[in-house]
Amino acid sequence: MTTTRAEYCVIACADAWRGNGEVLASPMGVIPSIGARLARRTFSPDLLLTDGEAMIVGPDDSAEGWLPYRRHLTMVTGGRRHVMMGASQLDRFGNQNISCIGAWQQPARQLLGVRGAPVNTLNNPVSYWVPKHSKRVFVEKVDMICGVGYDSAAAAGPSATRYHRIPRVVSDLGVFDFETADRAMRLASVHPGVTVAEVREATGFPLALPDEVPCTREPTPTELRLIRTVLDPEGRREREVPAA
Amino acid sequence: MTDKTMTPEDVVSRLRSGMTLGIGGWGSRRKPMALVRALLRSDITDLTVISYGGPDVGLLAAAGRIRTLVAAFATLDSIPLEPHFRAARQRGAFELREIDEAMFMWGLHAAANRLPFLPVRSGLGSDVMRVNPGLKTVTSPYEDGETFVAVPALRMDAALVHLNRADRLGNGQYLGPDPYFDDLFCEAADSAYVSCERLVDDFATAAPQTLLVARHAVTGVVEAPNGAHFTSCVPDYGRDEPFQKLYATTPWAKFAERFLSGDEKAYWSAVEAWHEEQQ
């Protein structure tokens, strides 16, 4: 059986936590959750994971610590955390919106609210996961800056930039980073089966491109086995990102 | 010692239109819903509501009781978007003071500690600053010289929280995994009302760290079994997911007519009748 698009997404998400050490991996969404648990079981064994509620759990889901919301917020500001959030809108400098669409005063569509995005982005590494890459999500300018992008952090000064970092964005089409001189979003890899033209077509701003865009790496046989038989035997990943 | 037990109606009789009201719990978890329903039966309106928002916010917004909402989000957890909150926002039904989850927490801490503000590394660079033009920054007086957001204290006239157990003096115990911020809500308010699943005589055998709320911060205690319904109150009960789905998918007027037009007993008869129809 060949690797599916959803499985490349899991691998790309898991790799976000590579080399992070003893920090809390906070995944939001199905595929980032599988990715974080895959990283914990393979190349990043020191990661901390939660049960989605108030407990820190080991790989077998047994409790190893207590993390209610108030302590979770301390983990955020203490910096020992790398969250992968969702994004209703995301722009070329990594500003993220989950609050509302349209004018904030009376929005066309009210969404969640800013939640923890402002505190997350100023205090611990924040990556993003977008299961359906489109111009509606990847926009020139977000309607409400919840997660702070590189340009906004720079404009806000040293207190904002001190711990600000957006390691990567993963979508169903590829992986993106901000490793450019002006900190604009760059296409770091495309998932196998996706073309660079396809990504550019689905993105609402000009993407920085390396000279050659590599493919997202292949999972190892062990990783594939873990994903399919241990971490997601019900195939929830395939519902979040259906086969192309 | 003072017996602080009262009914939900007693609590509401102490509230007034125009008050600033804090509501404990988080999202669709351990919300003081029996007290919120009692509030809906009154004509109290024009409220400033401070909440980690769930259906408490949705219900009060839909009923037109909120003038200003202070929140970082409103969600039903298993249903990510709170439909009645959304609808009210989209028709411009109330003013929103949208702050971050951490700013909210430090605003509670500031109020509980009688401080005008606390500094946070949060909000800078985000549109939280744009949509809250009253938010100010503060510069560290030490060598670092850093600039932070000065989150104003979230002082409230009254707080409503729901806990698993309480005694008649106002000591409250949580038995679930997360205290949320209910103790801070009580300490940040001029008066605080605790509803509980069950009144107990004492906490002689309780694990001390479960005794979240202390009586000096509590004005009134209400025994309200299933008082968080349809939100969760673990380990006593989980969220009533089918009923929450009904709440989220039923037009407001229809929901209110069937479930909120009578007293708490009528609410429960209607909920039970609805569940029986689903068999």
Side-chain angles (χ1 to χ4, degrees), chain B residues 9 41 52 71 78 84 88 107 167 174 181 197-198 218 224 248-249 266:
Chain B
E9 285 65 35
R41 289 193 293 272
Y52 284 109
S78 54
H84 301 298
D167 67 16
Y174 80 109
F181 301 88
E197 288 301 311
R198 187 151 59 79
V218 175
T249 53

Side-chain angles (χ1 to χ4, degrees), chain B residues 14 41 114 139 160 271:
Chain B
R14 291 159 179 253
R41 289 193 293 272
R114 298 194 297 184
T139 303
L160 309 177
V271 170

